[in-house]
C-alpha cells in the first residue's frame, strides 16, 4: 500500500517536476557548460555540445582578470539595495495612505500611480537623461538609485496596498481608541503584520533593479561604474566577436546573488502574494 | 614623451587651458602639475582643470590590444593634463543609443563616430577643421577617401581616424577545388555571376557561402548596398528625391541572388548578425563571406598550426553590371557641442592624434583599421602581412549610404529601417524578387517624400 | 455618540493631512523623474523632433502617418501576437507548475528558487543564452535532432518567419512560467482545505474538485497575473532586441524595438515617441479592466 502511493506520488509529482525543471533550467545548464569550455570547443560540431570535453576555468579567469566584474557586482548590489529600500519606504507610505486614509484626490491617485507604470522605458530614457544631466548625476550611483524607483514604486505600492487591506480594520481602530497616533499604528502594528507582503515587494523590486539595462547603459559611462548586465554586454561583445565563455560565466555569476536571496525568501514571497493578491 | 618631461616652471593655469593652448603647453602643464604633486601632494597650480571630467565614448575593439592601448592613452592624458578621464567602450549596437542620449542630455565630450554619423549629427558637433588639417599636414595629407567622405560640406566635424573596412574573405582550398585560378594569390577580379558560380560549387562540396541578412547594421548593410549599387540601382538619385531602386537591372540581379541563395548559400543567413558569419567561417562551415578583417585576425591566433590562416585570403567585392562598390566611409573622433569641456576635449584629441600615440594604437590592429593619412600607406606594418594588402584598395570603391544622394538623416532612417537589407531578406524568403523590390520602393518613397 | 463623531472628525482631519504627507516622498520622486519625461514624451510625439534638432509642432501627423506605415502594421500585429497569444500558454503551464509545487516536496524552497531563475536572471543575459541555443549553425537543438536523424539540416530558428515568431514567443513564455507558477501557487495555498474536504465528502473526484473548488478560488489571481503579464509583455524590448532586433524582414518587430530603431538609429525621436504612445491606450485599456476587477473583489 505504502509502496503504491509512493509510486503514484513519484509519477504524479516528481516526474512532471523533473520535466518542468529540465524545461526551465536547460538554458542555464547550457550556459554553465559553455562557461567551462575553451573557446575552441564552443563552436565546433565535432564534439557533443552538451558536455564539457576539456574543462577550463579560463573564461572565469578572464572575467575576473580582464574585466571589472567585481566592480559591476558591487555597483549592482549597492544600487539594487539602496534603490529597493527607497522604493519600499515610499511604497509603504503610499500603500498605507491609499489603503486606509481618505484625503483629497486619494481615489484618483490610486489609478494615476498605476497608469504611470504603463509608460514604457523605451520612451522615457532620453527625457530622463535630460533630468539626470540637469542634476549633474551622470556616472554616479545616484543616477540609477533615483530613477529605478519610478519603475518600482507603482507596482510595489499597489502590492502593499492590497496587503494592508487584508489587515482587519478593527485592530487599528481599537489602537486609535487607545490613543495611538496613525504613525505609531503604522510602525508598531501594521508593519509587523505585513512582513510577508513587504518581503515580497522587496524581492520584486530587487529583481527588477538587478535586471535593468537601458537606464544603466545610458547613465553610467565608465567601466568601473557599470552594472552586471551592461558591463557584461559592453565588455564581452567586442565588435563582431563575442566572448561566449566569459559572457555566459558572467551571466551565471551575476544571477547567483538574486537566486540566493530567492532561496531564502521564496516562502515569504509566496505568502505575501497570497495575502495581497488573492483577497476576496 | 620623455623629452617633454622637463618640468619647466610655468604659471599657466587650467583657465588658460580653456582658452586654448598648444599640446606642448598642456603637457608641460601636466608635467609641472606632476612635479607639484610630488612636492605638495596636490594640484596647486591647476585650478579649474582638476575638477573637470572628460567623458570619452568609443566602440569596442575586437582586437583587445587596441582597446587596451586606447584606454591607457586616455588615462595617460588625464594624468598629464590633470583631468579625470572616463573612457567608455561600448558594444557597437549600444553606441547609437549612447550618442543619442549624449546629444539630447549631455554627459559625453569625445565621441567616436561611424561613417555617416558626422552628417547625421552635424548640428551637434564641434567644427574641428583646423585640427583635422593639422593632422593631415603632419601625415602627408589625408587619403583620397577621407577627402571625399570625412567632412560635411567641407568642414571636418571631427578628426578622421580611418575606418575598418570589410570585404570578401574566402577559403583558398575551397575556391581552388571549385576551379578558381590563382585563389592562393588573392585579390581576384570577379563578377557577381562568377562569385555565385563558385558558391554553387562550394555548396555542392558541403561548404556553402554565408551571408548575414538579419537586422544588424554591419555586414548585412555592407553586403546588400554594394550589390544594389553594382546592379544599377540606387536608393535615391543625386537630386535626393527620385527613387531609383526598382530598376529592371536590379530586379534581374536580385532574381539571380535569390537563385544563388538556394544554390550556394547557407539559407539560415536570414537570421545571421555581424557575429554569425565569423563563427561559421572560423569553424569551417562556410567557404566565403563578407566581413571585416576580424575573421582573418582571429584565424591567425588559432591554435591549429596556422592551417586556417594559411587557407584564408581576401578579394574585393565582385563587380556587377554597374561596376564595383564597397559601402565605405570615414570614421571621425568628434566633440559634442553641448560638452562643458570642449577645450580639454580638443587638447585630448590633438594629443591622441600625435603619431607617437596614434600610430601605436593603429599598428596593433594590423590593417583592420585603415589609415587616414598618406604617410601610413607605406608603413612597415603593411609589409607584415600581404594578405591584408587588399584592404588598402577598398576605399577606391567606397560609397556611403544614401548614394547618389547625401548620407543624410533620410539615408540613416532607411538604414535603420533595414529597407535595403529586408528587400534582400524578403526576396530570398519568398523567392519573389519583384514583390520585394516593390515593397522596398514603397518604403523608400515614404522616407524620401 | 457625540464624542465619537467629534473624535472621528478629528481623525478625518488628521487622515487627510497625514495621507498627503505619506504620499509625498513617492510622489516627488515620480514627479521629478517620471512626470516630466512623460509629458515631454507626449510633446515629442506631436513634433518632428530629431536627435539634436529641435522640432516643430505638427499635431497628430506622426500618428496619422504611422497608420500608413506597412512596417508599423506588421509591428502592431506582432505585438498583439507576442503579448496575447503567449498568455494562455504561460497561464496553463504556470498552473501546472503551481499544482506540482503545492505538494509536499523535499527541498521545496531551493527547488522553488531555482525554478524562478528564468524570471529573475537579467533578460539581457538570459536572452544571450537563448541566442546561442538558437544559433543558426551551432544550435545544440539542431545538433541533437540531426544526430537523432529527425532532420538533416540546421533549423533556421530566427530566420524563418513562423519559426522565429514561435522561438521568440517561447522565450517569452519560458520567462513568464515561473512568475505565473509562483503567483498561482500563492493562490492555491490560500484555498481553505475544508472546501476540498467537504467536496470530497460530497463525492467529487480530483478533477471535479479542481474545477469546482480550486479554480473559482484562484480565478481572481489568474486574471490579475495575466493582465500584469500582458502589460509587461506589450512593453517588452530587451528580449527581442537581443535575439532578432525585429528581423528577419521585420517579422518579429514589436513596438519597443521598432520605436528604438526609428528613434535611436533613424534619429526621429518624435516618430519614435508616437510609436511608443500608440501602446498607451491599449495598456490603459487592460489596466482599467485590471483595476476595476480589483476594486470589485476588494
Amino acid at each position: 500500500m505504502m509502496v503504491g502511493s509512493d509510486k503514484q506520488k513519484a509519477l504524479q509529482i516528481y516526474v512532471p517536476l523533473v520535466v518542468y525543471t529540465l524545461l526551465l533550467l536547460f538554458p542555464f545548464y547550457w550556459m554553465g557548460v559553455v562557461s567551462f569550455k575553451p573557446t575552441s570547443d564552443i563552436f565546433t560540431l565535432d564534439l557533443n555540445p552538451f558536455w564539457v570535453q576539456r574543462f577550463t576555468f579560463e573564461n572565469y579567469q578572464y572575467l575576473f582578470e580582464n574585466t571589472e566584474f567585481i566592480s559591476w557586482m558591487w555597483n549592482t548590489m549597492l544600487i539594487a539595495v539602496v534603490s529597493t529600500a527607497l522604493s519600499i519606504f515610499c511604497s509603504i507610505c503610499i500603500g498605507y495612505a491609499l489603503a486606509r486614509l481618505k484625503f483629497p484626490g486619494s481615489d484618483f491617485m490610486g489609478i494615476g500611480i498605476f497608469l504611470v507604470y504603463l509608460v514604457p522605458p523605451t520612451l522615457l530614457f532620453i527625457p530622463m537623461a535630460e533630468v539626470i544631466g540637469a542634476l549633474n548625476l551622470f556616472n554616479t550611483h545616484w543616477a540609477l538609485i533615483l530613477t529605478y524607483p519610478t519603475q518600482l514604486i507603482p507596482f510595489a505600492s499597489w502590492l502593499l496596498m492590497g496587503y494592508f487591506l487584508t489587515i482587519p480594520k478593527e485592530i487599528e481602530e481599537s489602537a486609535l481608541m487607545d490613543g495611538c497616533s496613525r504613525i505609531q499604528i503604522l510602525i508598531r502594528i501594521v508593519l509587523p503584520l505585513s512582513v510577508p507582503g513587504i518581503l515580497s515587494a522587496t524581492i520584486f523590486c530587487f529583481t527588477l533593479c538587478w535586471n535593468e539595462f537601458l537606464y544603466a547603459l545610458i547613465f553610467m559611462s565608465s567601466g568601473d561604474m557599470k552594472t552586471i548586465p551592461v558591463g557584461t554586454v559592453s565588455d564581452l561583445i567586442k565588435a563582431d566577436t563575442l566572448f561566449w565563455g566569459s559572457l555566459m560565466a558572467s551571466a551565471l555569476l551575476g544571477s547567483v546573488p538574486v537566486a540566493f536571496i530567492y532561496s531564502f525568501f521564496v516562502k515569504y514571497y509566496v505568502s505575501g502574494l497570497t495575502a495581497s493578491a488573492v483577497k476576496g | 614623451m620623455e623629452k617633454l618631461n622637463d618640468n619647466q616652471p610655468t604659471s599657466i593655469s587650467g583657465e588658460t587651458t580653456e582658452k586654448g593652448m598648444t599640446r606642448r603647453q598642456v603637457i608641460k602643464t601636466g608635467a609641472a602639475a606632476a612635479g607639484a604633486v610630488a612636492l605638495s601632494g596636490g594640484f596647486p597650480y591647476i585650478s579649474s582643470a582638476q575638477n573637470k571630467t572628460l567623458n570619452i565614448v568609443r566602440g569596442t575593439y575586437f582586437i583587445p590590444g587596441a582597446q587596451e592601448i586606447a584606454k591607457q592613452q586616455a588615462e595617460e592624458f588625464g594624468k598629464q593634463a590633470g583631468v579625470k578621464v572616463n573612457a567608455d567602450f561600448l558594444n557597437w549596437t549600444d553606441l547609437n543609443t549612447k550618442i543619442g542620449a549624449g546629444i539630447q542630455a549631455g554627459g559625453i565630450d569625445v565621441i567616436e563616430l561611424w561613417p555617416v554619423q558626422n552628417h547625421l549629427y552635424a548640428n551637434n558637433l564641434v567644427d574641428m577643421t583646423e585640427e583635422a588639417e593639422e593632422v593631415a599636414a603632419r601625415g602627408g595629407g589625408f587619403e583620397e577617401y577621407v577627402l571625399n567622405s570625412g567632412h560635411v560640406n567641407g568642414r571636418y566635424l571631427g578628426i578622421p581616424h580611418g575606418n575598418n573596412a570589410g570585404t570578401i574573405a574566402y577559403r583558398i582550398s575551397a575556391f581552388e577545388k571549385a576551379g578558381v585560378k590563382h585563389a592562393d594569390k588573392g585579390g581576384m577580379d570577379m563578377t557577381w555571376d562568377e562569385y555565385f558560380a563558385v558558391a554553387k560549387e562550394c555548396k555542392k562540396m558541403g561548404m556553402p557561402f554565408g551571408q548575414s541578412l538579419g537586422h544588424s547594421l554591419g555586414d548585412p548593410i555592407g553586403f546588400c548596398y554594394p550589390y544594389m549599387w553594382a546592379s544599377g540601382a540606387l536608393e535615391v538619385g543625386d537630386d535626393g528625391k527620385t527613387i531609383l531602386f526598382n530598376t529592371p537591372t536590379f530586379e534581374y540581379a536580385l532574381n539571380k541572388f535569390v537563385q544563388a541563395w538556394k544554390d550556394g548559400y547557407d539559407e539560415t543567413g536570414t537570421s545571421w548578425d555581424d557575429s554569425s558569419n565569423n563563427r561559421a567561417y572560423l569553424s569551417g562551415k562556410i567557404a566565403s563571406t563578407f566581413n571585416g578583417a576580424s575573421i582573418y585576425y582571429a584565424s591567425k591566433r588559432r591554435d591549429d598550426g596556422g592551417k586556417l590562416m594559411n587557407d584564408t585570403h581576401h578579394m574585393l567585392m565582385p563587380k556587377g553590371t554597374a561596376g564595383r562598390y564597397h559601402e565605405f566611409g570615414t570614421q571621425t573622433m568628434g566633440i559634442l557641442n553641448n560638452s562643458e569641456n570642449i577645450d580639454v576635449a580638443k587638447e585630448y584629441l590633438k594629443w591622441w592624434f600625435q603619431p607617437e600615440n596614434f600610430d601605436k594604437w593603429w599598428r596593433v590592429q594590423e590593417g583592420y583599421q585603415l589609415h587616414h593619412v598618406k604617410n601610413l600607406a607605406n608603413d612597415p606594418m603593411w609589409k607584415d602581412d600581404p594578405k591584408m594588402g587588399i584592404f588598402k584598395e577598398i576605399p577606391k570603391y567606397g560609397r556611403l549610404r544614401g548614394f547618389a544622394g547625401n548620407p543624410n538623416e533620410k539615408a540613416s532612417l532607411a538604414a535603420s529601417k533595414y529597407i535595403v537589407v529586408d528587400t534582400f531578406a524578403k526576396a530570398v524568403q519568398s523567392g519573389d524578387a519583384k514583390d520585394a523590390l516593390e515593397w522596398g520602393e514603397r518604403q523608400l518613397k515614404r522616407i524620401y517624400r | 455618540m457625540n464624542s465619537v463623531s467629534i473624535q472621528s472628525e478629528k481623525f478625518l482631519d488628521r487622515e487627510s493631512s497625514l495621507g498627503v504627507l505619506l504620499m509625498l516622498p513617492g510622489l516627488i520622486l515620480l514627479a521629478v523623474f517620471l512626470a516630466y519625461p512623460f509629458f515631454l514624451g507626449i510633446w515629442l510625439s506631436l513634433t518632428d523632433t530629431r536627435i539634436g534638432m529641435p522640432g516643430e509642432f505638427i499635431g497628430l501627423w506622426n500618428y496619422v502617418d504611422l497608420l500608413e506605415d506597412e512596417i508599423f502594421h506588421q509591428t502592431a500585429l506582432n505585438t498583439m501576437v507576442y503579448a496575447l497569444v503567449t498568455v494562455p500558454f504561460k497561464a496553463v503551464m504556470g498552473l501546472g507548475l503551481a499544482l506540482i509545487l503545492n505538494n509536499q516536496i523535499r527541498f521545496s524552497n531551493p527547488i522553488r528558487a531555482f525554478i524562478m531563475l528564468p524570471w529573475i536572471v537579467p533578460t539581457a543575459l538570459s536572452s544571450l543564452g537563448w541566442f546561442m541555443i538558437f544559433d543558426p549553425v551551432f544550435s545544440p537543438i539542431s545538433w541533437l535532432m540531426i544526430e537523432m536523424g529527425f532532420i538533416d539540416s540546421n533549423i533556421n530558428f530566427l530566420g524563418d518567419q513562423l519559426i522565429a515568431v514561435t522561438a521568440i514567443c517561447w522565450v517569452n513564455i519560458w520567462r513568464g512560467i515561473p512568475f505565473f507558477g509562483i503567483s498561482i501557487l500563492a493562490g492555491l495555498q490560500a484555498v481553505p482545505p475544508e472546501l476540498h474536504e467537504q467536496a470530497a465528502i460530497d463525492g467529487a473526484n480530483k478533477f471535479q474538485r479542481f474545477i469546482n473548488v480550486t479554480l473559482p478560488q484562484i480565478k481572481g489571481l489568474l486574471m490579475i497575473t495575466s493582465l500584469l503579464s500582458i502589460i509587461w509583455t506589450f512593453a517588452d524590448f530587451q528580449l527581442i532586441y537581443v535575439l532578432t532586433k525585429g528581423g528577419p524582414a521585420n517579422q518579429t518587430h514589436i513596438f519597443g524595438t521598432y520605436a528604438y530603431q526609428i528613434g535611436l538609429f533613424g534619429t526621429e525621436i518624435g516618430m519614435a515617441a508616437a510609436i511608443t504612445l500608440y501602446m498607451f491606450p491599449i495598456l490603459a485599456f487592460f489596466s482599467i479592466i485590471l483595476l476595476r476587477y480589483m476594486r470589485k473583489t476588494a
Side-chain angles (χ1 to χ4, degrees):
Chain A
M1 192 60 201
M2 275 305 288
V3 178
S5 87
D6 269 2
K7 244 187 197 164
Q8 211 182 358
K9 192 178 175 185
L11 218 62
Q12 284 182 352
I13 296 168
Y14 287 103
V15 171
L17 184 64
V18 168
V19 173
Y20 265 105
T21 313
L22 286 179
L23 209 59
L24 293 176
L25 299 187
F26 169 70
F28 301 104
Y29 168 76
W30 174 253
M31 289 155 90
V33 166
V34 169
S35 74
F36 288 114
K37 284 183 188 178
T39 311
S40 57
D41 285 6
I42 294 176
F43 292 106
T44 168
L45 294 168
D46 306 332
L47 301 171
N48 181 339
F50 293 93
W51 305 117
V52 182
Q53 318 279 351
R54 289 186 292 164
F55 193 86
T56 174
F57 276 115
E58 69 185 27
N59 297 314
Y60 288 87
Q61 202 182 344
Y62 183 89
L63 191 62
F64 284 104
E65 286 176 5
N66 298 46
T67 74
E68 303 185 65
F69 184 77
I70 306 275
S71 304
W72 303 340
M73 187 74 116
W74 163 247
N75 294 332
T76 317
M77 190 77 85
L78 179 77
I79 290 163
V81 167
V82 180
S83 191
T84 301
L86 185 64
S87 307
I88 293 297
F89 170 74
C90 293
S91 304
I92 287 175
C93 293
I94 291 179
Y96 186 73
L98 290 179
R100 281 288 188 266
L101 306 173
K102 281 225 164 15
F103 54 94
S106 58
D107 290 339
F108 167 77
M109 283 292 177
I111 298 177
I113 285 189
F114 198 85
L115 282 183
V116 291
Y117 184 56
L118 302 177
V119 186
T122 36
L123 171 68
L124 290 177
F125 75 93
I126 285 192
M128 210 179 253
E130 289 180 30
V131 178
I132 295 294
L135 296 173
N136 229 345
L137 294 177
F138 273 125
N139 209 31
T140 64
H141 291 121
W142 287 108
L144 299 182
I145 289 172
L146 292 173
T147 48
Y148 285 175
T150 60
Q151 297 291 309
L152 309 175
I153 289 175
F155 186 76
S157 309
W158 172 79
L159 199 75
L160 287 170
M161 180 183 77
Y163 202 90
F164 294 147
L165 283 171
T166 65
I167 297 170
K169 258 192 179 143
E170 295 74 35
I171 303 181
E172 288 179 58
E173 274 161 12
S174 67
L176 278 172
M177 291 295 190
D178 294 346
C180 290
S181 74
R182 278 280 180 186
I183 295 282
Q184 281 172 322
I185 294 172
L186 176 60
I187 295 171
R188 299 214 187 123
I189 299 174
V190 177
L191 289 189
L193 286 172
S194 310
V195 169
I198 294 171
L199 271 177
S200 83
T202 304
I203 291 183
F204 178 83
C205 291
F206 189 81
T207 312
L208 283 192
C209 289
W210 199 267
N211 290 357
E212 207 284 329
F213 184 84
L214 212 47
Y215 294 167
L217 169 72
I218 303 297
F219 301 156
M220 298 307 205
S221 51
S222 61
D224 59 346
M225 286 300 285
K226 290 181 178 173
T227 60
I228 293 175
V230 174
T232 305
V233 169
S234 62
D235 252 39
L236 296 170
I237 300 182
K238 302 215 188 252
D240 56 1
T241 308
L242 286 80
F243 290 52
W244 282 108
S246 303
L247 269 173
M248 296 298 131
S250 176
L252 280 182
L253 285 187
S255 317
V256 168
V258 198
F260 191 69
I261 289 171
Y262 264 77
S263 68
F264 279 105
F265 294 114
V266 74
K267 209 166 71 192
Y268 302 101
Y269 187 56
V270 172
S271 60
L273 279 176
T274 307
S276 57
V278 186
K279 204 191 161 287
Chain B
M1 295 309 300
E2 301 87 85
K3 65 179 192 290
L4 289 169
N5 225 348
D6 54 7
N7 209 356
Q8 181 186 331
T10 167
S11 60
I12 296 170
S13 71
E15 241 179 297
T16 346
T17 315
E18 282 198 357
K19 295 201 177 89
M21 54 193 221
T22 67
R23 175 196 72 93
R24 247 187 126 80
Q25 281 171 305
V26 159
I27 286 162
K28 277 176 191 166
T29 317
V37 171
L39 290 173
S40 66
F43 288 91
Y45 297 128
I46 295 191
S47 52
S48 64
Q50 70 182 29
N51 294 322
K52 288 179 188 282
T53 304
L54 187 66
N55 287 301
I56 304 168
V57 175
R58 309 180 62 149
T60 50
Y61 292 88
F62 87 98
I63 298 167
Q67 184 167 327
E68 213 35 58
I69 288 174
K71 196 174 176 186
Q72 280 166 8
Q73 288 174 335
E75 279 161 10
E76 195 184 327
F77 170 79
K79 248 184 248 159
Q80 294 188 5
V83 294
K84 188 175 182 305
V85 175
N86 289 329
D88 192 8
F89 294 86
L90 279 181
N91 171 19
W92 290 4
T93 46
D94 295 330
L95 204 55
N96 265 68
T97 315
K98 191 92 177 180
I99 300 176
I103 288 174
Q104 289 293 115
I108 300 176
D109 304 303
V110 177
I111 182 95
E112 178 166 39
L113 296 158
W114 257 235
V116 175
Q117 285 178 335
N118 49 351
H119 294 265
L120 201 53
Y121 305 126
N123 288 306
N124 313 99
L125 294 166
V126 175
D127 191 327
M128 303 276 291
T129 307
E130 201 182 307
E131 290 80 1
E133 300 290 5
E134 223 174 88
V135 169
R138 197 167 47 222
F142 279 134
E143 285 285 350
E144 199 69 22
Y145 76 93
V146 176
L147 294 174
N148 289 332
S149 65
H151 58 86
V152 179
N153 302 326
R155 293 179 306 141
Y156 285 99
L157 303 177
I159 306 180
H161 63 294
N163 191 8
N164 45 55
T167 194
I168 304 281
Y170 65 88
R171 296 286 293 258
I172 296 170
S173 57
F175 269 47
E176 278 175 343
K177 267 189 231 157
V180 180
K181 281 177 195 143
H182 308 300
D184 58 330
K185 300 273 187 300
M188 291 88 69
D189 182 17
M190 278 195 193
T191 64
W192 281 108
D193 285 350
E194 288 163 355
Y195 183 68
F196 290 154
V198 181
K200 196 171 176 178
E201 289 306 310
C202 287
K203 192 169 183 176
K204 275 187 209 152
M205 295 184 280
M207 207 191 235
F209 286 9
Q211 179 52 48
S212 323
L213 292 182
H215 277 193
S216 193
L217 286 165
D219 298 337
I221 284 182
F223 176 86
C224 295
Y225 280 60
Y227 189 79
M228 164 181 74
W229 293 326
S231 310
L234 304 167
E235 291 164 284
V236 70
D238 54 11
D239 60 354
K241 277 194 186 118
T242 324
I243 306 300
L244 298 170
F245 186 66
N246 189 3
T247 63
T249 46
F250 190 25
E251 190 187 326
Y252 179 74
L254 195 56
N255 271 314
K256 269 196 176 155
F257 179 71
V258 169
Q259 193 57 44
W261 190 257
K262 279 191 204 116
D263 297 342
Y265 278 82
D266 183 324
E267 292 178 70
T268 62
T270 41
S271 74
W272 289 19
D273 69 358
D274 291 348
S275 67
S276 314
N277 57 342
N278 294 49
R279 285 199 288 280
Y281 186 96
L282 291 171
S283 59
K285 293 300 291 177
I286 56 174
S288 178
T289 188
F290 168 85
N291 203 62
S294 53
I295 281 182
Y296 180 61
Y297 183 90
S299 75
K300 278 207 259 187
R301 271 146 195 81
R302 265 199 159 210
D303 199 8
D304 63 355
K307 217 174 116 217
L308 186 61
M309 172 186 91
N310 292 331
D311 198 31
T312 297
H313 216 317
H314 300 109
M315 60 183 264
L316 290 172
M317 278 296 210
K319 284 186 296 203
T321 48
R324 167 178 289 136
Y325 295 94
H326 276 261
E327 195 256 341
F328 186 82
T330 306
Q331 284 181 299
T332 49
M333 296 291 291
I335 299 172
L336 292 188
N337 60 11
N338 63 4
S339 155
E340 287 163 8
N341 301 312
I342 291 178
D343 293 312
V344 182
K346 273 190 179 171
E347 289 307 327
Y348 161 72
L349 285 182
K350 283 198 230 169
W351 178 85
W352 188 66
F353 273 95
Q354 293 293 329
E356 65 265 34
N357 297 321
F358 183 91
D359 295 1
K360 195 172 150 199
W361 168 82
W362 178 75
R363 285 198 188 97
V364 179
Q365 306 188 60
E366 300 174 18
Y368 181 70
Q369 181 82 9
L370 273 185
H371 53 278
H372 57 326
V373 291
K374 290 199 169 109
N375 284 359
L376 292 177
N378 302 315
D379 194 83
M381 189 276 293
W382 288 111
K383 298 214 175 57
D384 286 352
D385 194 336
K387 281 186 180 173
M388 292 298 295
I390 197 82
F391 282 84
K392 286 198 284 184
E393 307 291 314
I394 292 168
K396 278 186 221 159
Y397 307 98
R399 297 288 184 278
L400 290 168
R401 291 165 204 176
F403 170 69
N406 289 320
N408 54 14
E409 75 280 1
K410 289 181 172 161
S412 282
L413 188 60
S416 72
K417 286 184 165 187
Y418 298 100
I419 305 296
V420 178
V421 174
D422 281 351
T423 300
F424 280 69
K426 274 177 182 287
V428 298
Q429 270 188 341
S430 68
D432 190 345
K434 194 172 160 48
D435 190 55
L437 274 171
E438 280 166 5
W439 176 85
E441 188 182 31
R442 280 201 303 278
Q443 301 305 318
L444 287 169
K445 279 190 173 150
R446 274 179 62 79
I447 291 168
Y448 283 99
R449 62 194 156 189
Chain C
M1 193 60 211
N2 205 10
S3 70
V4 170
S5 75
I6 289 169
Q7 250 187 324
S8 73
E9 274 214 30
K10 229 170 128 193
F11 290 156
L12 276 178
D13 268 7
R14 274 158 65 184
E15 267 192 29
S16 61
S17 49
L18 182 65
V20 173
L21 188 72
L22 286 178
M23 296 294 285
L24 270 183
L27 282 187
I28 290 174
L29 210 59
L30 292 180
V32 173
F33 291 101
L34 202 56
Y36 168 72
F38 178 52
F39 288 112
L40 189 64
I42 293 177
W43 166 249
L44 282 178
S45 76
L46 303 172
T47 67
D48 57 0
T49 308
R50 295 201 298 111
I51 285 177
M53 295 271 278
E56 279 174 23
F57 181 76
I58 51 168
L60 292 173
W61 194 87
N62 283 329
Y63 293 92
V64 175
D65 189 55
L66 280 170
L67 292 177
E68 291 165 13
D69 180 353
E70 285 174 73
I71 303 178
F72 182 69
H73 297 168
Q74 199 169 11
T75 301
L77 192 68
N78 292 339
T79 315
M80 294 288 174
V81 171
Y82 184 65
L84 298 180
V85 174
T86 51
V87 167
F89 290 94
K90 286 185 240 185
V92 170
M93 296 184 76
L95 180 62
L97 180 64
L99 287 172
I100 297 166
L101 291 179
N102 198 28
N103 291 291
Q104 292 282 335
I105 297 172
R106 257 172 274 177
F107 308 114
S108 74
N109 278 346
I111 286 176
R112 284 178 195 179
F114 268 112
I115 277 184
M116 289 301 280
L117 273 176
W119 196 63
I120 61 183
V121 169
T123 304
L125 303 181
S126 63
S127 303
L128 274 171
W130 278 108
F131 185 63
M132 214 179 160
I133 293 171
F134 290 150
D135 192 285
V137 181
F138 302 98
S139 164
I141 302 173
S142 292
W143 184 89
L144 190 68
M145 307 252 289
I146 290 174
E147 203 74 359
M148 288 162 72
F150 291 138
I151 49 174
D152 41 69
S153 67
N154 284 321
I155 302 169
N156 195 0
F157 279 108
L158 301 173
D160 175 278
Q161 178 161 20
L162 192 63
I163 307 177
V165 172
T166 315
I168 297 276
C169 286
W170 163 248
V171 179
N172 179 3
I173 293 168
W174 170 82
R175 189 182 55 181
I177 291 172
F179 176 69
F180 273 79
I182 288 287
S183 303
I184 297 171
L185 176 64
L188 292 178
Q189 301 202 327
V191 178
E194 306 87 56
L195 287 179
H196 272 286
E197 282 158 23
Q198 186 57 46
I201 291 168
D202 293 348
N205 65 25
K206 241 184 172 175
F207 181 72
Q208 284 168 325
R209 270 186 281 154
F210 173 74
I211 296 290
N212 295 321
V213 178
T214 313
L215 216 49
Q217 288 282 324
I218 60 165
K219 208 178 71 189
L221 189 65
L222 210 52
M223 178 94 172
I224 291 170
T225 317
S226 301
L227 284 167
L228 274 175
S229 172
I230 290 173
I231 291 168
W232 287 335
T233 315
F234 253 101
D236 203 1
F237 165 74
Q238 204 69 45
L239 193 157
I240 293 193
Y241 192 68
V242 171
L243 287 176
T244 63
K245 294 189 175 57
N250 305 315
Q251 285 147 0
T252 60
H253 251 326
I254 57 169
F255 283 131
T257 51
Y258 190 48
Y260 194 77
Q261 283 298 344
I262 299 273
L264 273 309
F265 291 89
T267 71
E268 299 212 349
I269 39 179
M271 184 67 89
I275 296 172
T276 327
L277 283 168
Y278 255 111
M279 258 191 286
F280 198 74
I282 307 171
L283 292 180
F285 170 75
F286 284 113
S287 338
I288 284 164
I289 302 181
L290 177 75
L291 291 169
R292 288 185 84 171
Y293 189 85
M294 280 163 48
R295 193 164 286 180
K296 213 169 69 194
T297 53

